[in-house]
Amino acid sequence: MEQVDQVRLDRRRLMAFAAIAPIIGLSACATPMGGYTLDEGVRRLMIVSSQRAFQRLIQPGGFYDDQLTRIEIPDFEGDRSGAVLSAILRTSAVRRQIAIALNDVAVDAADHAAPIILDSVRRMTIADAVSVLRGGPTAATDLLERQTGGALVQAMFPEFSGGLRSDAFEIMSAALGAQTGFDYRWLADSAARSASSAIFRAIGREEAGIRADPRGTRDPVLIALLGG
C-alpha cells in the first residue's frame, strides 16, 4: 500500500509540473536579467511562486496540514439536509474525518489547476507585468486569481463531485441515506471554490516570500527583477 501511495504521489508531481516545465527552463540560466525582457522576468516570478505552492499542496496532507490552505467543512444550514448534517458534525471526530476527506480530494483536484495557471502566465501582457512590479507583495497572485479563479473552480469541480461519492464519505452518505434533497453538486462546488482560494493563498505566500528575499532564491533573473 505504501508503494502504491508513492506512485500516486509521483503521478501528482508529474501532472502538476509537466505543464510548467516549458517555462521552468529559465531557472537553469545563470546570466543576468539583461538577457530577458521585463515580462519574462515577471512570468518567472509567477512560475516560481506557483511551483513552490503546488510542491507543498500535492504532498499527502498538503491542504489539511497547513492552516492557511485547510479546507473547512461548509455551512449546511441552508441545505434541506442541514439539520441532519449539523447533528452529525457536532461530533469532532466526524468533523475531522470529513474535513480530511475533503482536503485529500483537493490534493487530487490540484492536478487540474496547474495547466490553467500556466496558461494565464503565458497570456500576461507588458501592462500586466508593470502593474505586478508596482503592486504589493502578492500582486502577481492577485492578477492570476482575477484571471483564472473561476476556471480553477470549474476544472476542480468534477474531482470533488466524484470524491463526494467515494468511500471516504461513507459516514456522511449513510447518515443522509434516508434524506431527500441533499445537493451534492452544491457541496462539490463549495469545496472546489474553497480549494481554489486555498491555492491562491499558497501562491501568494510564496510570492511574498520571494519578494521579501529574492537573493534567497539564488535565481539571477529574480534577483535582478526584484532588486535583491
Side-chain angles (χ1 to χ4, degrees):
M1 179 62 70
E2 184 176 340
Q3 186 175 11
V4 172
D5 290 341
Q6 184 60 49
V7 170
R8 292 184 64 207
L9 175 58
D10 291 341
R11 178 187 63 82
R12 291 181 190 134
R13 280 203 191 91
L14 289 172
M15 290 181 68
F17 295 115
I20 294 177
I23 292 182
I24 292 300
L26 284 174
S27 65
C29 180
T31 60
M33 191 187 160
Y36 300 103
T37 62
L38 174 65
D39 54 317
E40 287 173 336
V42 173
R43 286 192 184 98
R44 177 70 182 145
L45 171 63
M46 290 177 161
I47 288 296
V48 173
S49 300
S50 300
Q51 179 191 30
R52 289 183 172 187
F54 278 107
Q55 193 168 17
R56 290 173 180 263
L57 292 172
I58 65 175
Q59 300 295 322
F63 280 82
Y64 185 83
D65 293 341
D66 188 338
Q67 198 65 44
L68 182 71
T69 60
R70 181 179 299 174
I71 299 173
E72 301 294 345
I73 300 173
D75 182 7
F76 293 96
E77 294 300 328
D79 189 271
R80 280 189 286 172
S81 299
V84 177
L85 278 170
S86 294
I88 297 171
L89 297 177
R90 288 194 188 104
T91 305
S92 59
V94 175
R95 284 188 65 87
R96 184 173 183 275
Q97 180 180 342
I98 295 176
I100 290 175
L102 275 175
N103 283 268
D104 283 347
V105 174
V107 172
D108 289 323
D111 286 343
H112 304 287
I116 296 173
I117 295 291
L118 174 64
D119 184 60
S120 180
V121 173
R122 283 175 169 163
R123 291 185 286 106
M124 186 193 67
T125 66
I126 293 292
D128 290 334
V130 172
S131 175
V132 165
L133 280 182
R134 292 176 176 174
T138 62
T141 304
D142 296 340
L143 175 64
L144 287 174
E145 185 167 16
R146 287 195 302 271
Q147 293 181 339
T148 67
L152 257 63
V153 173
Q154 293 179 18
M156 293 189 291
F157 174 82
E159 194 76 43
F160 279 101
S161 183
L164 288 174
R165 303 184 185 274
S166 69
D167 292 341
F169 289 86
E170 181 179 353
I171 186 170
M172 188 173 71
S173 299
L176 293 170
Q179 301 296 315
T180 58
F182 181 71
D183 191 351
Y184 277 95
R185 286 185 59 85
W186 173 83
L187 179 54
D189 181 72
S190 178
R193 291 181 185 280
S194 294
S196 175
S197 296
I199 287 172
F200 289 115
R201 288 196 300 273
I203 295 174
R205 174 173 57 191
E206 299 299 336
E207 179 191 354
I210 292 170
R211 284 176 178 266
D213 180 23
R215 285 197 177 278
T217 67
R218 298 184 179 181
D219 186 312
V221 177
L222 292 178
I223 293 170
L225 176 73
L226 301 171

